[in-house]
């Protein structure tokens, strides 16, 4: 590289900040240019728009908290920001804290990289340069396999039934009271049951179209509900949404009449016209993420379940129950679209009853006299 030559990298300072031009508010202008440059640098890597927006917002929050610009940040200021987020009435989870520090660390890597020229800009204008103040000593270490909130767990079979009964009761209550929301309540009940029956993520359920319901030629009794084509699966960094086909397992065949009723009887009453979405609203639009979350929360509260449970718990439940149905781990992994078996294992929380069943098989295979059932103990 020729000495003194500037690289026209996406996000380089000279591409977003004009040289030799006086600025009325230079600090704010340089910060805005930094964020604009970082946005360009990330978009060139095909990162999701939501990811880019979240990272830019994190930098702005740090500036607002510290009342300092990035070229003035110190390790103490960043640590104070993270500490403040980790305490109070709504403390963030460990995984969230790691995400926050990761976002700030990546931003500082960008502005301190000499190829982008921000250190020179800050030195010329402010006599200070940005420093990388985050390293392995003050970032959150990934020390545990699972760092989610303790309240997020698989539901037992009884809890799943309570949830679905409560969702059905909400339909009946709306009908009895002749409330306008009866159709929406039917949709929400069918939606929650579909999320569980196929182990879907929220975005995957949101993105379903009618054409994504597929027949399984090997199980004709399921009709068009024998499988679901997921087109909005969780993407890897910089990649498009991953696709997969989720086969309907026999233990979940009760979803077939639920979906048939929704598609043939209830959905047409929303008058969706040619809208492709499986889950539609009264306004002939696709049901949004907020509506999906609200559907779960309303049924959860009506069932009297723990308020820390969220929609994703149904996916945890699906994984756990497939394992308890004795499906091979590889099959479960493919069903839910996990790249690694270790991820599927995190979702699994098998019951004591299932573990006793496995224990009984192992013991009776080697020492039949060691295991005693309750009935045998009562008769002895």
């Amino acid at each position: 590289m020729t000495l003194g030559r500037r690289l026209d990298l996406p996000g380089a300072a000279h591409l977003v900040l004009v040289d030799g031009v006086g600025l009325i508010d230079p600090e704010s202008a340089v910060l805005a240019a930094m964020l604009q440059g970082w946005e360009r640098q990330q978009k060139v890597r095909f990162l999701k728009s939501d990811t880019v927006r979240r990272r830019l917002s994190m930098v702005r929050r740090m500036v607002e908290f510290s009342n300092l610009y990035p070229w003035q940040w110190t390790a103490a200021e960043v640590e104070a920001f993270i500490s403040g987020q980790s305490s109070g009435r709504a403390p963030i989870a460990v995984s969230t804290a790691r995400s926050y520090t990761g976002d700030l660390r990546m931003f500082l890597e960008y502005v301190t990289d000499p190829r982008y020229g921000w250190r020179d800009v800050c030195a010329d204008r402010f006599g200070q340069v940005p420093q990388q103040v985050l390293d392995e000593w003050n970032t959150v270490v990934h020390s545990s396999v699972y760092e989610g909130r303790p309240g997020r767990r698989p539901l037992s079979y009884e809890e799943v039934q309570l949830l679905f009964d409560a969702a059905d009761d909400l339909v009946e209550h709306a009908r009895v009271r002749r409330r306008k929301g009866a159709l929406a309540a039917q949709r929400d009940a069918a939606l929650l049951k579909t999320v569980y029956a196929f182990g879907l993520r929220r975005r995957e359920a949101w993105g379903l179209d009618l054409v994504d319901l597929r027949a399984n030629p090997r199980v004709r009794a399921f009709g068009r509900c024998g499988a679901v084509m997921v087109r909005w699966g969780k993407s890897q960094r910089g990649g498009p949404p991953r696709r997969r086909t989720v086969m309907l397992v026999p233990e979940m065949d009760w979803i077939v009449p639920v979906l048939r009723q929704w598609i043939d009887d209830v959905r047409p009453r929303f008058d969706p016209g040619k809208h492709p979405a499986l889950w539609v609203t009264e306004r002939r639009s696709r049901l949004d993420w907020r509506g999906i979350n609200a559907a779960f929360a309303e049924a959860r509260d009506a069932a009297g379940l723990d308020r820390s449970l969220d929609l994703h718990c149904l996916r945890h439940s699906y994984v756990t129950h497939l394992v308890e149905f004795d499906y091979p781990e590889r099959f479960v992994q493919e069903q839910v679209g996990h790249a690694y078996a270790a991820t599927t294992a995190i979702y699994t929380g098998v019951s004591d009853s299932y573990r006793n069943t496995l224990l009984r098989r192992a013991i009776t295979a080697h020492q039949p006299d060691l295991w005693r059932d309750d009935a045998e103990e009562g008769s002895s």
Side-chain angles (χ1 to χ4, degrees):
M1 183 178 72
T2 304
L3 186 63
R5 181 182 178 185
R6 298 187 300 184
L7 297 176
D8 288 340
L9 294 176
H14 69 277
L15 296 180
V16 291
L17 192 65
V18 180
D19 292 339
V21 176
L23 302 173
I24 297 176
D25 185 358
E27 289 86 358
S28 297
V30 170
L31 173 63
M34 276 183 172
L35 294 177
Q36 183 182 356
W38 195 35
E39 182 178 10
R40 289 186 183 181
Q41 187 252 11
Q42 292 181 91
K43 285 185 175 180
V44 131
R45 295 155 54 200
F46 290 94
L47 297 181
K48 293 182 191 176
S49 296
D50 289 343
T51 300
V52 176
R53 282 195 295 268
R54 187 198 74 229
R55 291 175 175 175
L56 296 176
S57 175
M58 182 54 51
V59 174
R60 294 189 182 100
R61 288 174 61 183
M62 177 61 202
V63 170
E64 182 179 359
F65 171 85
S66 64
N67 200 28
L68 297 171
Y69 291 99
W71 51 91
Q72 300 170 322
W73 288 354
T74 65
E77 291 292 344
V78 178
E79 291 169 11
F81 171 68
I82 298 300
S83 177
Q85 301 296 315
S86 303
S87 58
R89 292 185 177 181
I92 59 176
V94 173
S95 57
T96 304
R98 189 176 61 253
S99 175
Y100 284 6
T101 56
D103 291 344
L104 294 174
R105 184 173 181 175
M106 282 186 284
F107 171 72
L108 290 174
E109 286 176 355
Y110 161 69
V111 294
T112 56
D113 189 327
R115 294 174 299 174
Y116 295 101
W118 290 110
R119 288 173 63 88
D120 294 337
V121 168
C122 293
D124 292 342
R125 291 182 179 271
F126 313 119
Q128 293 176 287
V129 296
Q131 304 287 337
Q132 177 56 272
V133 298
L134 287 165
D135 54 31
E136 65 272 13
W137 299 107
N138 58 357
T139 52
V140 182
V141 179
H142 195 165
S143 58
S144 176
V145 175
Y146 177 68
E147 296 179 336
R149 298 185 184 279
R152 179 178 284 184
R153 59 170 178 81
L155 278 65
S156 67
Y157 299 103
E158 293 77 13
E159 288 175 323
V160 170
Q161 190 62 56
L162 278 174
L163 181 76
F164 292 163
D165 288 346
D168 292 337
D169 288 342
L170 290 172
V171 178
E172 293 303 317
H173 291 163
R175 285 175 176 169
V176 170
R177 298 176 185 178
R178 296 183 178 180
R179 293 176 57 185
K180 187 177 179 180
L183 288 178
Q186 284 183 276
R187 175 202 62 209
D188 293 348
L191 166 64
L192 295 179
K193 294 171 184 177
T194 301
V195 168
Y196 169 68
F198 291 97
L200 303 177
R201 299 181 178 94
R202 179 183 60 177
R203 187 176 187 227
E204 294 171 352
W206 162 85
L208 286 180
D209 288 343
L210 286 171
V211 296
D212 294 325
L213 295 177
R214 305 290 176 86
N216 184 345
R218 299 290 184 179
V219 191
R220 295 184 179 180
F222 293 165
R224 66 181 299 184
C225 305
V228 165
M229 178 66 181
V230 173
R231 294 179 292 113
W232 291 91
K234 189 175 182 178
S235 61
Q236 293 182 328
R237 183 173 299 179
R242 288 186 292 176
R243 298 189 175 200
R244 73 179 188 280
T245 298
V246 185
M247 313 300 293
L248 179 62
V249 298
E251 291 83 358
M252 304 290 185
D253 62 356
W254 46 265
I255 195 62
V256 174
V258 172
L259 282 172
R260 284 175 177 167
Q261 182 185 31
W262 163 249
I263 295 168
D264 297 335
D265 301 331
V266 183
R267 185 179 180 277
R269 297 172 66 183
F270 283 84
D271 193 22
K274 295 183 179 180
H275 201 293
L278 179 60
W279 311 111
V280 292
T281 70
E282 297 88 340
R283 297 181 179 181
R284 302 180 183 178
S285 61
R286 187 183 298 272
L287 182 65
D288 60 20
W289 292 11
R290 183 177 300 179
I292 296 174
N293 287 339
F296 178 87
E298 187 175 12
R300 176 202 63 201
D301 295 345
L305 298 176
D306 190 338
R307 292 180 63 86
S308 64
L309 297 172
D310 60 15
L311 181 77
H312 204 65
C313 292
L314 290 177
R315 181 170 161 86
H316 283 249
S317 307
Y318 176 80
V319 172
T320 296
H321 297 163
L322 285 195
V323 172
E324 294 189 347
F325 295 151
D326 285 338
Y327 284 96
E329 292 181 7
R330 182 64 183 180
F331 175 82
V332 179
Q333 180 184 344
E334 293 290 339
Q335 285 283 97
V336 294
H338 286 156
Y340 304 101
T343 308
T344 308
I346 292 173
Y347 277 58
T348 306
V350 295
S351 65
D352 290 345
S353 175
Y354 175 73
R355 288 188 291 176
N356 270 329
T357 299
L358 295 181
L359 184 61
R360 177 178 182 175
R361 290 178 188 171
I363 290 176
T364 54
H366 298 88
Q367 295 177 280
D369 296 335
L370 187 60
W371 184 274
R372 299 182 63 82
D373 289 325
D374 291 341
E376 294 176 352
E377 292 179 359
S379 62
S380 60

